[in-house]
Amino acid sequence: MAYPLQLGLQDATSPIMEELTNFHDHTLMIVFLISSLVLYIITLMLTQKLTHTSTMDAQEVETIWTILPAVILILIALPSLRILYMMDEINNPALTVKTMGHQWYWSYEYTDYEDLCFDSYMIPTNDLKPGELRLLEVDNRVVLPMELPIRMLISSEDVLHSWAVPSLGLKTDAIPGRLNQATISSNRPGLYYGQCSEICGSNHSFMPIVLEMVPLKHFENWSSSMIQ
């Protein structure tokens, strides 16, 4: 999760988030180089005498500043499209979980199991235990197996919500009457926090998301205990 005074993105936990982080750094470097070049030219124009006025009408210069931006856009667009297709690709998911947004809590249903469903509410500040995070802890965590492709089906029963977990690179709208899907795959176990990222009402900031990624053996034990 994020920490105070953090400037960058959260540590990547999924392959998708790793790709998004690399793309962010790639694009940021291009923006930095362009900004440096423009600042350098502006500095020269303000400090030096303009001696080569003929170059302003040169065909070569116009060709360069037409083709160069197009090449830069291609260098940004190609990896962006690649990541978009990777995020939409879902091949043989090992598990499917249905998420429904409510005002103001989430409900989860493990569609591969019978009677495995629960609601997830934020724990009030007065009920927090030592070490638990204010406005982020829930009474029922979503337990999922790590290193397996998981399909998350996301919808809403009342208004627009948004199911987002930054460290996994997930942010999918929960729209009434529409079923969106996202892919979850974690490289390591741990707790991953998120929140509703859509302004859905007065308690918008009080419907957190907590994913607990565990090894497959622990997940099977947990699912057995929940069904019983």
Side-chain angles (χ1 to χ4, degrees), residues 1-3 10-11 13 17 106 108 120-123 128-142 162-171 186 188-197 207-213:
M1 60 170 292
Y3 54 85
Q10 295 186 20
D11 292 338
T13 307
M17 190 57 191
W106 298 99
Y108 301 93
S120 181
Y121 291 86
M122 185 193 76
I123 299 178
L128 289 175
K129 299 177 182 179
E132 293 184 338
L133 302 173
R134 177 177 173 269
L135 302 183
L136 285 177
E137 297 292 347
V138 296
D139 55 356
N140 290 310
R141 295 171 176 172
V142 183
S162 185
W163 199 83
V165 183
S167 59
L168 292 172
L170 295 174
K171 186 177 184 296
S186 175
R188 59 179 185 268
L191 291 177
Y192 305 107
Y193 295 88
Q195 290 177 307
C196 176
S197 298
M207 47 186 305
I209 303 162
V210 182
L211 300 184
E212 183 175 355
M213 309 300 294

Side-chain angles (χ1 to χ4, degrees), residues 26 29 35 42 45 91 118 125 130 134 145 169 172 213-214 228:
H26 167 75
M29 182 58 65
S35 302
I42 292 176
M45 293 178 63
N91 292 322
F118 53 84
T125 303
R134 177 177 173 269
T172 305
M213 309 300 294
V214 298
Q228 293 175 358

Side-chain angles (χ1 to χ4, degrees), residues 95-167:
L95 181 67
T96 299
V97 181
K98 184 179 179 182
T99 303
M100 296 296 293
H102 307 269
Q103 290 181 315
W104 287 270
Y105 64 96
W106 298 99
S107 61
Y108 301 93
E109 177 184 352
Y110 291 70
T111 59
D112 299 285
Y113 297 84
E114 290 185 5
D115 300 328
L116 182 49
C117 56
F118 53 84
D119 297 330
S120 181
Y121 291 86
M122 185 193 76
I123 299 178
T125 303
N126 296 332
D127 298 334
L128 289 175
K129 299 177 182 179
E132 293 184 338
L133 302 173
R134 177 177 173 269
L135 302 183
L136 285 177
E137 297 292 347
V138 296
D139 55 356
N140 290 310
R141 295 171 176 172
V142 183
V143 181
L144 298 173
M146 55 177 287
E147 296 180 338
L148 289 176
I150 300 168
R151 176 171 55 193
M152 185 68 69
L153 302 178
I154 302 168
S155 185
S156 172
E157 285 196 353
D158 37 53
V159 299
L160 291 176
H161 299 281
S162 185
W163 199 83
V165 183
S167 59

Side-chain angles (χ1 to χ4, degrees), residues 16-32:
I16 293 297
M17 190 57 191
E18 291 178 0
E19 293 289 338
L20 290 173
T21 302
N22 293 334
F23 175 69
H24 170 268
D25 297 340
H26 167 75
T27 307
L28 196 63
M29 182 58 65
I30 293 176
V31 172
F32 173 77

